[in-house]
Amino acid sequence: MHADDAIRKRFHLTLLALAAILALLAWEHLNGGVASHHLLANPDLPAVSNWWGLLLVPLLAWWTVGQVQRRRARARVAPKFSPLAGFLCALAYGALLSALFAHGSAVVDYAFFGLLALALVVRLWHAEYLLGFVLGMAFVIGPILPAMFGALIALFSWLVQSAARAVWRKLRSRRGLA
């Protein structure tokens, strides 16, 4: 991909993310005011306004597109799973988790722990997963808290999978399989 095309694509996708968060904020503003959400849903802890999404979501989108472009440029073979598919899966998972949370369903706990299980086998540290998750949850919880939670899940996924790869390489080298 030509450098100008890459920048144009990055710019357009960032504008699309900005439009999505602007639409959310406009809807909230017209329906009772822009929401704020308490950390850990505890009123004793500070609240974070959804207005912060105007800064976070476009920055996250810009970073995500850049990460995907860099990963594609470095890849020797085509990826098995497209970044768009990863984004859409994370978007759906975030929306499902939000819907369960909004309806007070007990299944939300299982969905949460399911995300931890997914982090063991899926590279959830890739930026497209974080962006999809944040956008999927933004309509119920706002973008900031899902970004914080998603970052922790991404870190967990990276740590577990990096450790597993290191152990696997060590075992292969000891058996002469490397």
Side-chain angles (χ1 to χ4, degrees):
M1 181 184 298
H2 193 268
D4 288 340
D5 292 337
I7 291 172
R8 190 174 301 115
K9 187 177 203 176
R10 197 173 187 183
F11 181 73
H12 287 139
L13 290 172
T14 300
L15 280 179
L16 185 62
L18 177 62
I21 196 66
L22 280 171
L24 169 67
L25 291 171
W27 185 84
E28 284 185 354
H29 179 71
L30 296 172
N31 289 284
V34 175
S36 292
H37 304 278
H38 291 279
L39 297 173
L40 302 175
N42 183 347
D44 295 334
L45 294 175
V48 180
S49 172
N50 285 355
W51 283 113
W52 282 103
L54 281 175
L55 178 64
L56 175 74
V57 171
L59 286 174
L60 186 56
W62 182 265
W63 176 70
T64 297
V65 176
Q67 291 296 311
V68 169
Q69 289 172 342
R70 275 190 281 289
R71 216 169 48 239
R72 279 196 173 150
R74 287 190 312 247
R76 294 182 203 131
V77 296
K80 295 176 185 174
F81 199 64
S82 98
L84 178 60
F87 168 79
L88 292 174
C89 287
L91 182 72
Y93 203 98
L96 173 69
L97 201 57
S98 288
L100 292 171
F101 178 79
H103 287 70
S105 174
V107 179
V108 74
D109 294 335
Y110 297 106
F112 169 75
F113 288 113
L115 188 57
L116 290 175
L118 273 174
L120 298 174
V121 294
V122 177
R123 294 178 177 183
L124 294 184
W125 69 84
H126 285 182
E128 61 269 19
Y129 293 108
L130 182 59
L131 179 61
F133 184 73
V134 167
L135 289 176
M137 293 199 74
F139 293 95
V140 172
I141 304 175
I144 302 300
L145 298 179
M148 293 165 58
F149 175 70
L152 290 175
I153 294 296
L155 178 62
F156 172 73
S157 179
W158 180 79
L159 287 171
V160 167
Q161 291 190 32
S162 294
R165 277 194 310 276
V167 168
W168 179 250
R169 279 194 300 271
K170 189 72 130 174
L171 289 173
R172 285 183 58 184
S173 67
R174 283 190 177 165
R175 292 185 182 173
L177 300 173

